[in-house]
C-alpha cells in the first residue's frame, strides 16, 4: 500500500517524518490497533507481524511508543516486547513506563482500591457475561460477552458513573467497556509529555477507540504549536468517531501492520 493522507495536514506530517525521521515520535494504542479486539481481554495478543514491524520502524525514527490503558507489563507480555529495542510502553495512560526491560510504576491512588472493593457488589445483578478487568491503576467493566452488550453497557453506565463520583475517579467509555480511572490520566497527556521530553519535530499517533481521541486532540494541539502530526485510525464498525477525524484510515490491526511496513519501505 502507498502511504497517503487524505488531509493536507497529514501530508505535511508525512513530509516532516521523511525529512527528520530521527526527530519523529511514532505512537500506537495497543488493543484494537496493534492487537485485535477479543471477547476476553486476557487472551489478547499482538497482530501477526506487528511487533516486528514496530521494531523495524524503531530503527529509523527517534522513538516508537505504545500508549495503552493496560498495565505496561501486560502490554509487554501480550505483545512479546521483552528484549525488543527502541520501544517504550506507557501503561495506565502514562502513569507507568517500561523501557529497556525496566518498569517504573507508582502506587495507584486510594480511590482505585475503594472502587476495587465496591465494584463487584454493584454489578452482581448485571447480565451474564459482564466482567471486571483489574488494571492495577484502573478498573474496566466489559460487556462484550453479554447476550446484548450494548444494552448491558447502558444499564451499567449510571452505576459506574456514581461509583466514580464517590471515589474521585472518572469514567472512560470504550468499545463495550466502561473504565474507572484516576483523573488526569489520558493518552493525550502521555503523548504530549513524551513528545516534549524527546523534542519531537513530528508526531504520528494511531488508535481505534474513544480513549484515543485525547491523543488526537494532542496531535492537533501540537500542530498549532508548529509540530507536524498525523492521526491514523485503525478502523472498525464499532467506533467511527476516530475515522471522522483521522488523516489515514486503515482496516484494523492488519491494516496497521501494512501501514507500518509501507512507512518503513517508502519513507526510509
Amino acid at each position: 500500500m502507498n502511504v497517503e493522507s487524505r488531509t493536507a495536514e497529514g501530508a505535511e506530517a508525512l513530509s516532516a517524518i521523511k525529512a527528520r525521521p530521527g526527530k519523529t515520535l511514532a505512537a500506537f494504542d495497543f488493543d484494537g490497533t496493534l492487537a485485535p479486539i477479543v471477547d476476553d481481554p486476557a487472551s489478547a495478543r499482538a497482530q501477526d507481524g506487528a511487533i516486528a514491524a514496530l521494531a523495524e520502524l524503531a530503527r529509523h525514527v527517534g522513538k516508537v511508543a505504545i500508549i495503552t490503558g493496560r498495565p505496561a507489563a501486560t502490554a509487554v507480555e501480550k505483545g512479546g516486547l521483552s528484549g525488543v529495542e527502541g520501544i517504550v510502553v506507557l501503561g495506565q495512560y502514562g502513569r507507568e513506563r517500561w523501557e529497556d526491560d525496566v518498569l517504573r510504576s507508582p502506587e495507584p491512588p486510594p480511590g482505585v482500591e475503594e472502587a476495587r472493593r465496591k465494584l463487584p457488589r454493584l454489578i452482581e445483578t448485571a447480565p451474564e457475561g459482564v466482567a471486571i478487568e483489574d488494571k492495577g491503576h484502573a478498573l474496566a467493566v466489559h460487556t462484550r460477552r453479554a447476550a446484548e452488550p450494548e444494552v448491558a453497557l447502558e444499564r451499567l453506565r449510571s452505576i459506574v458513573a456514581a461509583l466514580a463520583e464517590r471515589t474521585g475517579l472518572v469514567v472512560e467509555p470504550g468499545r463495550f467497556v466502561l473504565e474507572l480511572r484516576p483523573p488526569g490520566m489520558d493518552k493525550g497527556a502521555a503523548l504530549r509529555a513524551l513528545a516534549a521530553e524527546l523534542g519531537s519535530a513530528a508526531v504520528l499517533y494511531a488508535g481505534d477507540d474513544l480513549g484515543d481521541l485525547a491523543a488526537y486532540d494532542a496531535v492537533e494541539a501540537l500542530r498549532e504549536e508548529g509540530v507536524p502530526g498525523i492521526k491514523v485510525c485503525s478502523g472498525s464498525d464499532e467506533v467511527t468517531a476516530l475515522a471522522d477525524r483521522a488523516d489515514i484510515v486503515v482496516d484494523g490491526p492488519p491494516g496497521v501492520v501494512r501501514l507500518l511496513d509501507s512507512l518503513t519501505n517508502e519513507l526510509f
Side-chain angles (χ1 to χ4, degrees), residues 201-231:
V203 173
L204 176 150
Y205 184 82
D208 77 300
D209 205 349
L210 298 177
D212 297 302
L213 289 173
Y216 274 24
D217 292 340
V219 171
E220 293 170 2
L222 286 167
R223 285 174 175 174
E224 294 178 0
E225 297 165 15
V227 179
I230 186 163
K231 298 168 292 182

Coordinates of all heavy atoms in Angstrom, one line a residue, residues 201-231:
A201 N 10.1 16.6 16.4 CA 9.8 17.5 15.4 C 8.6 17.1 14.5 O 8.1 17.8 13.7 CB 11.0 17.7 14.5
A202 N 8.2 15.8 14.7 CA 7.0 15.3 14.0 C 6.4 14.2 14.8 O 7.2 13.5 15.5 CB 7.3 14.8 12.6
V203 N 5.1 14.0 14.8 CA 4.4 13.0 15.6 C 3.4 12.2 14.7 O 2.7 12.8 13.9 CB 3.7 13.7 16.8 CG1 2.8 12.7 17.5 CG2 4.7 14.3 17.7
L204 N 3.4 10.9 15.0 CA 2.3 10.1 14.4 C 1.6 9.4 15.6 O 2.3 8.9 16.5 CB 2.9 9.0 13.4 CG 2.0 8.0 12.8 CD1 2.5 7.6 11.4 CD2 1.8 6.7 13.7
Y205 N 0.3 9.3 15.5 CA -0.4 8.5 16.5 C -1.5 7.7 15.9 O -2.2 8.2 15.0 CB -1.1 9.4 17.6 CG -1.8 8.6 18.7 CD1 -1.0 8.1 19.7 CD2 -3.1 8.2 18.6 CE1 -1.6 7.2 20.6 CE2 -3.7 7.4 19.5 CZ -2.9 6.9 20.6 OH -3.5 6.1 21.5
A206 N -1.6 6.4 16.2 CA -2.6 5.5 15.7 C -3.4 4.9 16.8 O -2.9 4.4 17.8 CB -1.9 4.4 14.9
G207 N -4.7 5.0 16.7 CA -5.6 4.4 17.7 C -6.9 4.0 17.1 O -7.1 4.1 15.9
D208 N -7.8 3.4 17.9 CA -9.1 2.9 17.4 C -10.3 3.2 18.2 O -11.4 3.0 17.7 CB -9.0 1.3 17.3 CG -9.1 0.7 18.7 OD1 -8.3 1.0 19.6 OD2 -10.1 -0.1 18.9
D209 N -10.1 3.7 19.5 CA -11.3 3.7 20.4 C -11.4 5.1 20.9 O -10.5 6.0 20.7 CB -11.1 2.7 21.5 CG -12.4 2.3 22.1 OD1 -13.5 2.9 21.8 OD2 -12.4 1.3 22.9
L210 N -12.5 5.3 21.7 CA -12.8 6.7 22.2 C -11.7 7.2 23.1 O -11.4 8.4 23.1 CB -14.1 6.6 23.0 CG -15.4 6.3 22.2 CD1 -16.6 6.2 23.1 CD2 -15.6 7.2 21.0
G211 N -11.0 6.3 23.8 CA -9.9 6.8 24.7 C -8.7 7.4 23.9 O -7.9 8.1 24.4
D212 N -8.7 7.1 22.6 CA -7.6 7.7 21.7 C -7.9 9.1 21.2 O -7.0 9.7 20.7 CB -7.4 6.7 20.5 CG -6.9 5.3 21.0 OD1 -5.9 5.3 21.6 OD2 -7.6 4.4 20.6
L213 N -9.1 9.5 21.4 CA -9.5 10.9 21.0 C -8.6 11.9 21.7 O -8.3 13.0 21.1 CB -11.0 11.2 21.2 CG -11.9 10.4 20.3 CD1 -13.4 10.6 20.7 CD2 -11.7 10.8 18.8
A214 N -8.3 11.7 23.0 CA -7.4 12.6 23.7 C -6.1 12.8 23.0 O -5.5 13.8 22.9 CB -7.2 12.2 25.1
A215 N -5.5 11.6 22.4 CA -4.3 11.7 21.7 C -4.5 12.4 20.4 O -3.6 13.2 20.0 CB -3.8 10.3 21.5
Y216 N -5.6 12.3 19.8 CA -5.9 13.1 18.5 C -5.9 14.6 18.9 O -5.4 15.4 18.1 CB -7.2 12.7 18.0 CG -7.2 11.5 17.0 CD1 -6.2 10.5 17.1 CD2 -8.2 11.3 16.1 CE1 -6.2 9.4 16.2 CE2 -8.2 10.2 15.2 CZ -7.2 9.3 15.3 OH -7.2 8.2 14.4
D217 N -6.5 14.9 20.0 CA -6.5 16.3 20.5 C -5.1 16.8 20.6 O -4.8 17.9 20.3 CB -7.3 16.4 21.8 CG -8.8 16.2 21.7 OD1 -9.3 16.3 20.5 OD2 -9.4 15.9 22.7
A218 N -4.2 15.9 21.2 CA -2.8 16.3 21.4 C -2.1 16.5 20.1 O -1.3 17.5 20.0 CB -2.1 15.2 22.3
V219 N -2.4 15.7 19.1 CA -1.7 15.9 17.8 C -2.2 17.2 17.2 O -1.3 18.0 16.7 CB -2.1 14.7 16.9 CG1 -1.6 15.0 15.5 CG2 -1.5 13.4 17.4
E220 N -3.4 17.5 17.3 CA -3.9 18.8 16.8 C -3.3 20.0 17.5 O -3.0 21.0 16.9 CB -5.4 18.8 16.8 CG -6.0 17.8 15.8 CD -7.5 17.6 16.0 OE1 -8.1 18.3 16.8 OE2 -8.1 16.7 15.3
A221 N -3.2 19.9 18.8 CA -2.6 20.9 19.6 C -1.1 21.1 19.2 O -0.6 22.3 19.1 CB -2.7 20.7 21.1
L222 N -0.4 20.0 19.0 CA 1.0 20.1 18.6 C 1.1 20.8 17.2 O 2.0 21.5 17.0 CB 1.6 18.7 18.6 CG 1.9 18.1 20.0 CD1 2.2 16.6 19.9 CD2 3.1 18.9 20.6
R223 N 0.2 20.5 16.3 CA 0.2 21.1 15.0 C 0.1 22.6 15.2 O 0.9 23.4 14.5 CB -1.0 20.6 14.2 CG -0.9 19.2 13.6 CD -2.2 18.9 12.9 NE -2.2 17.6 12.3 CZ -3.3 17.0 11.7 NH1 -4.4 17.7 11.8 NH2 -3.2 15.9 11.1
E224 N -0.8 23.1 16.1 CA -0.9 24.5 16.3 C 0.4 25.1 16.8 O 0.6 26.4 16.7 CB -2.1 24.8 17.2 CG -3.4 24.4 16.6 CD -4.6 24.6 17.5 OE1 -4.3 25.1 18.7 OE2 -5.7 24.4 17.1
E225 N 1.2 24.3 17.5 CA 2.4 24.8 18.1 C 3.6 24.6 17.1 O 4.8 24.8 17.5 CB 2.7 24.1 19.4 CG 1.7 24.3 20.4 CD 1.7 23.4 21.6 OE1 2.7 22.7 21.7 OE2 0.7 23.3 22.4
G226 N 3.3 24.2 15.9 CA 4.3 24.1 14.9 C 5.0 22.7 14.7 O 6.0 22.5 14.0
V227 N 4.4 21.7 15.4 CA 4.9 20.3 15.3 C 4.0 19.5 14.4 O 2.9 19.2 14.8 CB 5.1 19.6 16.6 CG1 5.6 18.2 16.5 CG2 6.0 20.4 17.6
P228 N 4.4 19.2 13.2 CA 3.5 18.4 12.3 C 3.1 17.1 12.9 O 3.9 16.4 13.5 CB 4.4 18.2 11.0 CG 5.4 19.3 11.1 CD 5.7 19.5 12.5
G229 N 1.9 16.7 12.7 CA 1.4 15.5 13.2 C 0.4 14.8 12.3 O -0.3 15.5 11.6
I230 N 0.3 13.5 12.4 CA -0.6 12.7 11.6 C -1.4 11.8 12.5 O -0.9 11.1 13.4 CB 0.1 12.0 10.5 CG1 -0.9 11.3 9.5 CG2 1.1 11.0 11.0 CD1 -0.4 10.9 8.2
K231 N -2.7 11.7 12.3 CA -3.6 10.9 13.0 C -4.1 9.7 12.2 O -4.6 9.8 11.1 CB -4.9 11.6 13.5 CG -4.5 12.8 14.4 CD -5.8 13.7 14.5 CE -6.1 14.4 13.2 NZ -7.2 15.4 13.3

